Structure formats: structure tokens, C-alpha cells
């Protein structure tokens, strides 16, 4: 079930975002008991005073993989600046480029994201661009050397699930780097569907962080991700337009009515 991404072998295909979490103290438990390895951390939410119990970094195990998030960036220059600051603070070179082109739907600005990715790849980052599902852009990002692409399932925090299946399938089928579906996944069943489509991983934040029980919700998502991936690897049955009996229609017991 493990896969290689960003130069690391990752066993758990559920990545967890730390924004909105009511209590960072559960992160250690999520890492140790659920084996979640990758945590996305927005640079703007990092309190630089590490070691005093104020920063999310104080609660993440040293062995965990930190994915720096440039959320809040409005253009490629801001994203690059945030990435540089994030690497300095966290010592991590994993960077999720998140550039919002507008504020109502928080849709990613694909053009600015490509510009930022070109710079950050050259700066030695492991680059994970958050994008609107666009196969042409995904191929361009693959060509410049990003570690994965992160197309949205639906708008951030919408909990709408996989709302653009055809566009996601095109990316999954046509590029050769990992595809991590990010944003909009609100239920474990959404995560399972993403994995059944062939995604390599999913990143969940809002649905976990706003749950009354974030730890148990993380566990539910982790189980769904594992189930969906296993089903994908086994091979799902084809859908049909007509019924197909689950038992043979021969040798049936027939009786005469009087």
C-alpha cells in the first residue's frame, strides 16, 4: 500500500492538514496510533516561537513529514516568499503551492501556480502544486519536475466531495507522477471514491478539523482510504446498463399451480 513521493516511501495515503484543528495535542496520537505520516502546515499559522508550546511544530513528531502550505498567497511571488520562510522555519523541503485567484470559492490560480512551481523546483523543493483539475497544466508541471500534482475534488471546505470526476480521471490516467486529491472531501466515502478512481493519496483538513472528534474522524478517513485503494488495486467490476443476475438462471425449481 506504500508509494514513493517526494523522495520518501509513504505508507499511509491519507495526508492531514492542521489548519482549524482545535487542539494540536492530538497530532502525536494521530501519528503514533493511526500511522499518519504527512501533515500539511500553513506557514501563516506557524508561531515562530518553537519550543514554548505555542507552535504547531511543537506538537508534530520529529519523524513526521511536514508539507509546508503557501495558503494565503495571491500570486507566485508571494508563494515563493512563503515557501522560503517555511523551509527556514520547518527545515522541510516539501512545499504545497496554494495560490488563490479569488476569495469566494478559493479556486487555485493555475497560471501563477505554474510560475511558482518553476522557481521552487529550481530552488530544490519537493513541489506539490494545488491546482484546478487541468490535464494540460498537470503535464506541464510534470515536465518541469514537480513531485506530484494536487487537483481539487471540489472547492476548499465545501465538503462536496469528488465533483469533477472526468477531469480527475484524465489526470490520473495520463501523467506518471503521483496524484493527490485535495480539497472538498467531506466524508470518508468521498475519500474512498477518490482512491477507487486511482488517486495515490488524499489530503483532508476541514472535515477532520471541524469534527466533534477529530481523532476518530481521522481514523474513519484512514480506513476509507485503505479500503478504496485496496479495491482499486484489486480491480473494480464494470458498470452495466442492464441487470445481471447474481445466481445462474438455469436449474431453477419450478412448481405447478393447481
Amino acid at each position: 500500500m506504500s508509494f514513493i513521493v517526494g523522495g520518501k516511501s509513504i505508507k499511509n495515503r491519507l495526508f492531514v492538514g492542521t489548519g482549524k484543528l482545535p487542539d494540536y495535542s492530538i497530532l502525536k496520537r494521530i501519528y503514533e496510533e493511526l500511522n499518519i505520516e504527512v501533515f500539511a502546515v500553513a506557514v501563516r499559522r506557524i508561531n515562530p516561537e518553537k519550543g514554548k508550546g505555542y507552535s504547531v511544530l511543537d506538537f508534530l513528531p520529529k519523524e513526521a513529514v511536514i508539507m509546508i502550505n503557501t495558503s494565503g498567497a495571491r500570486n507566485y511571488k508571494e508563494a515563493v516568499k512563503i515557501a522560503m520562510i517555511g523551509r527556514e522555519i520547518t527545515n522541510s523541503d516539501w512545499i504545497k503551492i496554494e495560490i488563490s485567484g479569488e476569495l469566494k470559492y478559493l479556486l487555485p490560480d493555475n497560471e501563477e501556480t505554474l510560475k511558482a512551481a518553476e522557481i521552487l523546483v529550481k530552488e530544490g523543493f519537493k513541489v506539490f502544486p494545488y491546482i484546478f483539475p487541468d490535464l494540460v497544466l498537470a503535464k506541464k508541471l510534470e515536465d518541469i519536475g514537480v513531485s506530484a500534482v494536487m487537483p481539487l475534488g471540489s472547492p476548499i471546505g465545501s465538503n462536496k466531495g469528488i465533483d469533477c470526476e472526468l477531469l480527475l480521471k484524465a489526470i490520473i490516467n495520463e501523467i506518471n507522477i503521483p496524484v493527490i486529491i485535495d480539497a472538498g472531501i467531506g466524508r470518508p466515502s468521498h475519500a474512498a471514491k477518490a482512491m477507487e478512481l486511482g488517486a495515490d493519496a488524499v489530503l483532508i483538513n476541514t472535515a477532520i478539523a471541524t469534527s466533534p472528534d477529530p481523532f476518530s474522524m481521522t481514523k474513519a478517513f484512514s480506513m476509507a482510504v485503505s479500503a478504496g485503494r485496496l479495491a482499486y488495486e484489486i480491480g473494480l467490476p464494470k458498470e452495466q446498463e442492464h441487470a445481471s443476475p447474481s445466481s445462474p438462471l438455469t436449474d431453477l425449481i419450478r412448481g405447478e399451480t393447481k
Side-chain angles (χ1 to χ4, degrees):
M1 294 287 285
S2 63
F3 73 116
I4 304 294
V5 63
K8 299 180 183 293
S9 177
I10 301 297
K11 295 178 182 176
N12 197 318
R13 294 171 182 262
L14 172 61
F15 297 3
V16 173
T18 59
K20 299 182 182 177
L21 273 178
D23 182 2
Y24 291 142
S25 65
I26 69 166
L27 292 172
K28 185 171 184 288
R29 191 176 170 209
I30 288 175
Y31 175 81
E32 293 180 347
E33 297 184 30
L34 303 180
N35 299 314
I36 304 298
E37 300 161 274
V38 180
F39 295 88
V41 177
V43 172
R44 61 180 178 170
R45 294 185 181 278
I46 297 176
N47 188 322
E49 293 190 70
K50 289 187 291 183
K52 296 182 179 180
Y54 305 138
S55 171
V56 62
L57 300 180
D58 294 332
F59 297 90
L60 286 171
K62 292 181 179 177
E63 298 81 7
V65 178
I66 296 175
M67 175 185 281
I68 306 162
N69 187 349
T70 70
S71 64
R74 301 295 303 276
N75 55 56
Y76 80 95
K77 292 182 179 179
E78 291 181 6
V80 170
K81 183 178 181 180
I82 293 171
M84 297 295 183
I85 294 171
R87 183 163 63 179
E88 186 71 22
I89 296 174
T90 66
N91 292 319
S92 173
D93 62 358
W94 277 38
I95 183 75
K96 172 188 168 184
I97 301 175
E98 181 177 327
I99 302 174
S100 297
E102 51 77 44
L103 298 180
K104 184 174 182 179
Y105 299 97
L106 294 176
L107 296 176
D109 186 326
N110 281 355
E111 291 182 8
E112 293 292 305
T113 299
L114 179 60
K115 293 176 184 176
E118 288 173 334
I119 295 171
L120 293 173
V121 167
K122 291 177 182 176
E123 290 290 338
F125 283 89
K126 308 299 183 187
V127 177
F128 297 78
Y130 167 61
I131 62 172
F132 190 85
D134 178 338
L135 175 59
V136 175
L137 174 72
K139 286 185 173 182
K140 290 180 179 178
L141 290 165
E142 180 181 23
D143 289 343
I144 66 173
V146 302
S147 296
V149 291
M150 301 181 71
L152 59 79
S154 52
I156 290 174
S158 67
N159 296 325
K160 291 286 189 180
I162 307 302
D163 225 12
C164 40
E165 181 175 334
L166 289 176
L167 300 178
L168 292 171
K169 282 291 291 183
I171 295 174
I172 291 169
N173 290 340
E174 300 300 330
I175 67 172
N176 297 307
I177 54 176
V179 177
I180 302 166
I181 297 183
D182 183 12
I185 296 177
R187 301 178 183 181
S189 58
H190 297 160
K193 182 176 181 179
M195 302 308 293
E196 289 173 0
L197 290 176
D200 293 279
V202 295
L203 172 61
I204 314 289
N205 189 347
T206 301
I208 289 174
T210 61
S211 166
D213 185 347
F215 177 83
S216 295
M217 187 58 80
T218 306
K219 184 177 182 179
F221 271 108
S222 183
M223 294 170 70
V225 166
S226 295
R229 181 65 191 183
L230 180 59
Y232 171 76
E233 292 181 356
I234 293 169
L236 293 165
K238 293 182 179 179
E239 295 183 359
Q240 302 187 90
E241 297 298 325
H242 53 78
S244 177
S246 54
S247 300
L249 294 178
T250 57
D251 299 326
L252 299 177
I253 299 174
R254 300 183 185 278
E256 296 290 336
T257 57
K258 294 181 179 180

